Amino acid sequence: QSALTQSASVSGSPGQSVTISCTGTDNDIGSYSLVSWYQQYPGRAPKLIIYEVYKRPSGVSDRFSGSKSVNTASLTISGVQTEDEADYYCCSYAGNSLRVFGGGTKLTVL
Amino acid sequence: QLQLQESGPGLVKPSETLSLTCTVSGGSISSPIHYWAWIRQPPGKGLEWIGSIFYSGSTFYSPSLKSRVTISVDTSKSHVSLKLTSVTAADTAIYYCARGGYGGSSGPPSHWGQGTLVTVSS
């Protein structure tokens, strides 16, 4: 059960769209449509922003969207704002009631 | 409103047992559609799934920690507990308690505690 692979950092200017990728295997992302994404600010607990690949919890901005293709999941932030600057983690169900996280991607808004 | 609060020693000696408690308030600890999870995050690093416990009492642990981890629930105290034996410096992390099952019993954790930092050092 290895961690999912995310790029360490991504950046964008306000108003641009930014996409964060998360690569797994046939044993996690490739087998289940149970990918979630979390946003984490420094010193704070993670916040769920996407579940079941593309669904948004109540109260989460529709600027956040998710997708999946084979073993790779993606989080797209449309119209990036300064308040979006945070760490983002993907998470996938991996069978046997286990989950695996990605290493995290730091979003910098230039 | 559901609240989770982790508590326990902030410093544990190498080879000893790390014991943490998560106090649940504002919601039922006995919900059949949710599960309770422990997740940790070494300082400056990513999140790591430790394990979970379901309403039935069934537990599921990360293979990398399975031999050292025990998660339990005390419904009378609304506590979810974590025990990790034979700790080393590599177990130094912020430990989070979370409730899972958002959108369904297989759903991800949506409610998290604030986390508690545990340092392993002599």
Side-chain angles (χ1 to χ4, degrees):
Chain A
Q1 188 187 16
S2 300
L4 307 175
T5 300
Q6 297 181 238
S7 55
S9 63
V10 67
S11 62
S13 299
Q16 288 185 329
S17 287
V18 171
T19 296
I20 299 171
S21 297
C22 169
T23 300
T25 69
D26 291 342
N27 297 321
D28 36 66
I29 294 178
S31 289
Y32 308 97
S33 292
L34 293 173
V35 177
S36 51
W37 289 88
Y38 292 89
Q39 176 191 60
Q40 186 181 36
Y41 293 111
R44 304 292 298 275
K47 173 188 175 184
L48 180 67
I49 58 173
I50 294 287
Y51 69 105
E52 292 180 13
V53 178
Y54 64 89
K55 297 179 180 179
R56 285 187 305 275
S58 175
V60 173
S61 172
D62 60 4
R63 296 186 298 103
F64 294 94
S65 61
S67 62
K68 187 190 88 160
S69 177
V70 191
N71 294 339
T72 298
S74 299
L75 172 72
T76 298
I77 308 172
S78 304
V80 165
Q81 301 178 0
T82 56
E83 67 201 49
D84 299 330
E85 188 164 290
D87 294 326
Y88 292 85
Y89 292 90
C90 59
C91 178
S92 176
Y93 184 75
N96 296 320
S97 297
L98 297 174
R99 282 185 149 77
V100 61
F101 287 98
T105 298
K106 181 178 180 60
L107 169 63
T108 300
V109 181
L110 303 171
Chain B
Q1 177 148 348
L2 183 71
Q3 291 189 331
L4 289 68
Q5 179 69 58
E6 304 89 347
S7 60
L11 181 64
V12 180
K13 290 182 168 54
S15 79
E16 294 189 345
T17 297
L18 179 160
S19 295
L20 295 176
T21 297
C22 172
T23 301
V24 178
S25 60
S28 175
I29 198 171
S30 300
S31 168
I33 62 172
H34 296 113
Y35 62 87
W36 304 96
W38 285 94
I39 297 149
R40 69 181 183 179
Q41 184 172 35
K45 297 187 178 181
L47 300 166
E48 180 183 15
W49 187 268
I50 298 173
S52 59
I53 186 167
F54 285 71
Y55 173 75
S56 62
S58 297
T59 53
F60 301 89
Y61 303 130
S62 170
S64 63
L65 297 170
K66 185 174 184 177
S67 65
R68 300 193 290 130
V69 174
T70 302
I71 296 175
S72 60
V73 169
D74 184 337
T75 55
S76 66
K77 297 181 179 179
S78 289
H79 286 173
V80 184
S81 298
L82 170 70
K83 292 190 186 300
L84 182 65
T85 63
S86 304
V87 298
T88 68
D91 295 309
T92 293
I94 298 170
Y95 285 77
Y96 292 101
C97 169
R99 189 185 78 173
Y102 189 85
S105 59
S106 297
S110 58
H111 287 81
W112 295 57
Q114 65 185 26
T116 187
L117 175 63
V118 178
T119 301
V120 179
S121 174
S122 55

